[in-house]
Amino acid sequence: MGDLAHGVALVRAFAEVCKPFPFQFAFKLQYRDLDTFIHKAMRGRDDVKYIKRFSETRLTRKQFDSLVAEIRANGFLCLSTPFDEPSVAVIEDQGLDAIKIASCSMSDWPLLERVVQTQRPLIASTAGATLEEIDRLVSFLTHRQKNFAIMHCVGEYPTPDAHMHLSQIDFLQRRYPGVHVGFSTHEDPDSTDIVQMALAKGARVFEKHVGLPTAQYPLNAYSASPQQVQRWLEAAQRALLLCGEGVQRQPANPVERASLRSLQRGIFARRSIAAGETVHAEDVYFAFPPQDGQYTANDWSKYATFTAQTAVAADAALTPHNTSQRDMRAKVWEIVQRVRAQLAASHVVVPARVDLEISHHYGLERFDEAGLTMLTVVNRSYCKKLLMLLPGQHHPEQHHRQKEETFHVLHGEMTLSLNGVERPCRPGDVVTIEPGVRHAFYSAGGVIIEELSSTHISDDSFYTDEAVNANRDRKTLLSYWMD
């Protein structure tokens, strides 16, 4: 209001409100070099709303310095919205923490060019902006490697509910992945549900107009009093509590896990099992309720091997005391890590979200010796795959009765055997394998092969070793392995 004492009182009042909350707070000022900002022919015009307002609330540089010092003394960060280039120099001279770009300035390119010369984080509001204008601003700041956030904002004071459009937060996050998205709020100050919805949608930077009502300075319709801000922050804190973890899978809840385990089926011996025996599916059954500490049906999978450590009577529960469990899923993850490393080293680019197929012809425990990883890029009347052997692997001999395929070596070297005749293959080599031709391959250092073929038919692979044909669990498919 152009009253330094009132500004100091306002900062101190909100410092008391903010202290109990675990958020990072900042006060934002607005800077205009009024002697150059307002056209000389328009100075003193009380009939023009904003000229009158800007003139009446003028502060000197010394007063702004005092206000900045008070803001910092009360534990706040301090930032400012500059509306002209001289004001950016003031921000730099004062060492403020960040710069706000007002909605009306987000396409003010002379000002933006000056702002990006600073090293401050930037926060830009988007009220009234077209999609093209936002695209240009985000591109401009991104190409200059700026640390910035964009704010969904409605330039209507106060904003009616029908014009709030909170789903623009979702839209901005989808359109600009990796960019911080916030919300500049102008709602009714008594509202507390809007901040909760914005937080639930992922906004984490908020701008809110505040005021300290006095007999001389009553509040306007969109500025919140200290009491209203306290309720607003309490609502925000509850929303964050309810939203909880969203970056990764939520932490384990022991009460929840115990409750769910009590509803699982336990593993019981169908017959007497001697110590040292490997337990197979036909040796067990699953029944409710589970006993304390018992293995359950959720522990049983094609990756898990159970071995009796002591004799297990018929109908007895399988537990860690009488049966050991070996879970090979850790081996699958280790294979994924090695595949990622080999792709990175080769600079071979693969499509996003392509499934990874792991072939473990003799079981996962022998994968390092015999196996293959494969990415199917397309499978129509034609087919394209990427085949990978990790260092030291060989692919057992097989043939196809219908499919013709061509191998194009992209990275690494291998030895290819065709009907028992071996030949070396290096990057750039192309070999066509006709139906009926037996083929096997080995790589000492690892290899990546592009396979082009007629359509892939799932039951058209015939291995010379019948042990491979008999292994019905020789493939593992993974959809989420690239991230």
Side-chain angles (χ1 to χ4, degrees):
M1 305 307 297
D3 183 337
L4 178 61
H6 181 67
V8 169
L10 185 148
V11 170
R12 292 175 180 174
F14 282 95
E16 291 302 312
V17 170
C18 294
K19 279 179 183 177
F21 294 94
F23 307 129
Q24 188 173 47
F25 294 96
F27 261 99
K28 181 181 74 70
L29 308 173
Q30 291 188 353
Y31 286 174
R32 298 173 181 87
D33 184 52
L34 293 179
D35 293 334
T36 58
F37 181 76
I38 299 174
H39 192 281
K40 58 186 178 181
M42 299 296 289
R43 293 171 194 162
R45 290 284 299 272
D46 288 350
D47 59 320
V48 180
K49 173 183 175 182
Y50 287 111
I51 292 178
K52 182 176 187 296
R53 174 177 163 187
F54 298 158
S55 300
E56 289 178 346
T57 58
R58 178 194 289 260
L59 293 177
T60 67
R61 168 62 191 273
K62 184 177 179 181
Q63 289 174 314
F64 271 123
D65 287 345
S66 297
L67 199 54
V68 169
E70 187 66 32
I71 288 169
R72 287 178 168 155
N74 283 275
F76 294 102
L77 298 175
C78 187
L79 55 152
S80 178
T81 304
F83 288 87
D84 48 38
E85 292 83 353
S87 296
V88 181
V90 175
I91 290 171
E92 291 179 314
D93 190 48
Q94 290 179 320
L96 300 191
D97 299 292
I99 294 176
K100 174 74 192 305
I101 300 168
S103 295
C104 63
S105 302
M106 66 167 296
S107 293
D108 184 335
W109 295 106
L111 178 59
L112 292 173
E113 290 284 3
R114 178 64 181 89
V115 164
V116 296
Q117 292 175 27
T118 74
Q119 299 306 310
R120 269 74 178 169
L122 307 174
I123 302 172
S125 282
T126 61
T130 66
L131 186 55
E132 183 180 24
E133 288 172 330
I134 304 175
D135 284 347
R136 286 176 179 172
L137 179 66
V138 171
S139 178
F140 176 75
L141 298 178
T142 300
H143 290 164
R144 285 153 184 79
Q145 298 180 324
K146 291 298 172 181
N147 178 18
F148 70 98
I150 54 175
M151 309 284 276
H152 168 52
C153 179
V154 180
E156 192 173 356
Y157 306 84
T159 306
D161 289 352
H163 296 174
M164 200 63 65
H165 295 294
L166 289 177
S167 289
Q168 283 294 296
I169 297 171
D170 303 314
F171 172 79
L172 294 172
Q173 289 173 326
R174 287 194 303 269
R175 189 168 184 86
Y176 310 112
V179 174
H180 302 291
V181 175
F183 180 39
S184 183
T185 72
H186 303 126
E187 73 270 24
D188 183 328
D190 281 324
S191 169
T192 57
D193 55 350
I194 291 174
V195 65
Q196 293 181 311
M197 287 185 277
L199 277 161
K201 286 179 173 293
R204 291 297 181 270
V205 183
F206 288 82
E207 178 185 29
K208 187 171 185 66
H209 289 258
V210 299
L212 184 63
T214 67
Q216 185 177 1
Y217 304 121
L219 287 186
N220 58 32
Y222 55 87
S223 293
S225 69
Q227 295 77 20
Q228 289 169 321
V229 166
Q230 180 169 338
R231 292 192 293 271
W232 187 74
L233 291 173
E234 288 170 349
Q237 191 170 28
R238 174 167 168 74
L240 282 176
L241 176 69
L242 293 173
C243 289
E245 178 59 65
V247 176
Q248 58 188 0
R249 184 58 180 156
Q250 67 195 43
N253 181 335
V255 175
E256 174 187 53
R257 291 184 68 85
S259 174
L260 293 174
R261 190 190 180 284
S262 69
L263 296 171
Q264 295 170 6
R265 295 180 298 161
I267 304 176
F268 296 90
R270 187 180 297 277
R271 62 172 179 83
S272 296
I273 302 172
E277 273 194 83
T278 298
V279 182
H280 299 287
E282 60 270 19
D283 301 326
V284 299
Y285 63 92
F286 310 107
F288 178 85
Q291 298 178 13
D292 289 344
Q294 178 183 10
Y295 291 119
T296 71
N298 296 47
D299 299 310
W300 188 274
S301 77
K302 68 178 182 180
Y303 301 110
T305 301
F306 290 84
T307 304
Q309 299 300 296
T310 63
V312 182
D315 297 317
L318 270 63
T319 73
H321 298 294
N322 60 26
T323 310
S324 66
Q325 178 195 26
R326 185 184 179 198
D327 194 329
M328 295 298 290
R329 278 173 285 202
K331 178 65 177 178
V332 172
W333 177 243
E334 182 243 328
I335 293 168
V336 167
Q337 299 295 88
R338 292 167 65 190
V339 167
R340 286 179 178 172
Q342 184 158 308
L343 285 170
S346 70
H347 302 292
V348 172
V349 179
V350 301
R353 293 302 179 205
V354 64
D355 287 349
L356 175 68
E357 179 178 315
I358 302 173
S359 295
H360 33 89
H361 305 89
Y362 297 104
L364 279 166
E365 63 275 5
R366 291 182 59 188
F367 178 79
D368 293 348
E369 166 200 345
L372 176 81
T373 50
M374 179 168 63
L375 306 171
T376 300
V377 178
V378 63
N379 186 34
R380 296 172 65 87
S381 57
Y382 53 90
C383 180
K384 175 179 175 177
K385 300 178 182 178
L386 291 176
L387 312 181
M388 294 180 58
L389 290 181
L390 297 171
Q393 275 189 315
H394 82 271
H395 186 281
E397 186 178 75
Q398 65 171 351
H399 70 276
H400 309 293
R401 294 176 182 170
Q402 300 181 59
K403 184 173 76 167
E404 177 175 291
E405 57 192 1
T406 297
F407 286 179
H408 174 204
V409 180
L410 301 179
H411 175 79
E413 300 181 358
M414 71 172 179
T415 300
L416 176 64
S417 172
L418 300 177
N419 285 334
V421 179
E422 294 186 348
R423 57 175 292 179
C425 294
R426 298 177 177 83
D429 286 354
V430 176
V431 181
T432 296
I433 304 170
E434 296 180 350
V437 174
R438 303 188 318 277
H439 52 284
F441 39 103
Y442 165 82
S443 178
V447 68
I448 300 179
I449 308 158
E450 180 181 51
E451 178 196 293
L452 305 171
S453 73
S454 52
T455 190
H456 170 79
I457 302 170
S458 60
D459 58 355
D460 188 35
S461 294
F462 303 92
Y463 289 87
T464 303
D465 186 348
E466 286 299 328
V468 179
N469 293 323
N471 181 7
R472 297 305 178 189
D473 292 324
R474 64 176 184 261
K475 292 186 181 295
T476 296
L477 292 173
L478 300 173
S479 295
Y480 301 97
W481 63 278
M482 295 182 72
D483 296 332

